[in-house]
Amino acid sequence: AQSVTQPDIHITVSEGASLELRCNYSYGATPYLFWYVQSPGQGLQLLLKYFSGDTLVQGIKGFEAEFKRSQSSFNLRKPSVHWSDAAEYFCAVGASGGSQGNLIFGKGTKLSVKP
Amino acid sequence: EAGVAQSPRYKIIEKRQSVAFWCNPISGHATLYWYQQILGQGPKLLIQFQNNGVVDDSQLPKDRFSAERLKGVDSTLKIQPAKLEDSAVYLCASSFGGGGGPWYEQFFGPGTRLTVL
C-alpha cells in the first residue's frame, strides 16, 4: 500500500535561513509526488510536482524538491525562508495507472518562522 | 478565474444530528474530490467523482456519509447521523481532465470546519 511519512511534525527556522522538509514515500512503481502548502483557514495550494525526468524540480514561491529513488525521498527545500512561508506543508503521492486520481497525504509539517 | 467554493465555512452540531456541505468546483473541471482532514493529519480522500459518476468511494463510511454530484457540477456531502469523530475539516477539490489521474492538478477549496459536540 502507498504511504507517505513526514518525520518532522513541527520545524522552526529563522527568517533568511535555509529550509529542508523531509518526505519519504512507499510505493512500488514510479510515484507521482507532490508538495502542497496550507495556510491557516485556507485550502491546499500546489507548490510543485514530480512525475518523471529531471529529479530536481522547481516550484512556486522559490521552493524546489529533489526526488531520490534510492532513498524513497522527495525533500522540499528553500534557500532563504520568508516570514510569509509560515504554514503547514504536506507531501503526497498519487496513484499511477488506471483512472484514479486520489492522493495519499502525509501528516504534514508545520513551519514556524522566527523574525 | 474563480476558485473552488465551499459553504458553510464553519458548522457546529450536536452528535446524532445531520449536516450537509456544498461545493462548487472550478468551471469546466470534470473531476471532483471530497477529503476529510482530521486535526493533526493529512487530508484523506472520501469520494471522487468524474462528471456525475463515482470513481472511488472506498473510504466513505457509507452507513452515515453520502455524496452526490448533480448534473456533473455542484456537489453535496452529507453526514447523518454525525459522531464525535467526524469533527474535521472537509475539503473539496476539483481537477480538469476526464481521467482524473494524478497528473491533473487538484485545486482545493477553503474547506468546511465541522465541530461535533
Side-chain angles (χ1 to χ4, degrees):
Chain A
Q2 303 152 49
S3 66
V4 175
T5 302
Q6 294 181 249
D8 305 304
I9 296 174
H10 190 185
I11 285 182
T12 300
V13 300
S14 298
E15 190 168 16
S18 64
L19 171 70
E20 182 169 26
L21 301 182
R22 297 183 291 164
C23 172
N24 293 97
Y25 67 89
S26 173
Y27 189 66
T30 299
Y32 294 80
L33 294 164
F34 306 80
W35 275 100
Y36 280 85
V37 61
Q38 186 177 34
S39 299
Q42 304 293 316
L44 283 78
Q45 181 184 24
L46 181 65
L47 285 176
L48 46 78
K49 59 190 176 187
Y50 171 78
F51 290 164
S52 64
D54 192 348
T55 57
L56 184 64
V57 293
Q58 303 296 320
I60 62 171
K61 304 184 180 186
F63 286 92
E64 66 178 26
E66 186 171 13
F67 171 61
K68 292 185 178 180
R69 183 186 301 276
S70 61
Q71 298 177 20
S72 297
S73 69
F74 188 56
N75 294 350
L76 182 71
R77 301 194 294 246
K78 186 169 185 177
S80 177
V81 170
H82 188 262
W83 63 267
S84 60
D85 293 325
E88 191 149 22
Y89 292 80
F90 293 92
C91 181
V93 62
S96 61
S99 63
Q100 293 187 358
N102 50 305
L103 301 177
I104 307 297
F105 286 88
K107 292 187 176 182
T109 297
K110 184 176 181 180
L111 173 66
S112 296
V113 180
K114 292 189 300 185
Chain B
E1 176 182 88
V4 176
Q6 291 188 248
S7 68
R9 292 295 309 275
Y10 305 92
K11 190 74 176 179
I12 301 175
I13 61 173
E14 301 279 337
K15 62 182 178 183
R16 290 187 289 273
Q17 286 186 324
S18 62
V19 65
F21 313 126
W22 174 81
C23 173
N24 185 22
I26 292 173
S27 178
H29 280 195
T31 308
L32 185 146
Y33 313 79
W34 283 102
Y35 289 88
Q36 180 192 57
Q37 186 178 16
I38 293 174
L39 185 64
Q41 298 185 22
K44 180 185 80 170
L45 181 73
L46 291 175
I47 189 167
Q48 176 187 344
F49 292 95
Q50 181 179 326
N51 296 310
N52 59 353
V54 175
V55 175
D56 182 0
D57 63 355
S58 58
Q59 299 190 88
L60 186 74
K62 299 180 185 65
D63 58 334
R64 296 183 300 106
F65 286 65
S66 64
E68 60 181 6
R69 188 180 185 194
L70 300 176
K71 301 180 181 179
V73 182
D74 292 8
S75 178
T76 302
L77 177 70
K78 297 179 182 178
I79 307 175
Q80 182 179 10
K83 293 185 175 181
L84 297 177
E85 58 261 37
D86 298 331
S87 294
V89 175
Y90 290 85
L91 296 165
C92 179
S94 68
S95 65
F96 180 78
W103 44 88
Y104 291 110
E105 179 178 349
Q106 295 186 26
F107 294 83
F108 285 80
T112 296
R113 182 177 297 276
L114 173 67
T115 301
V116 182
L117 302 176

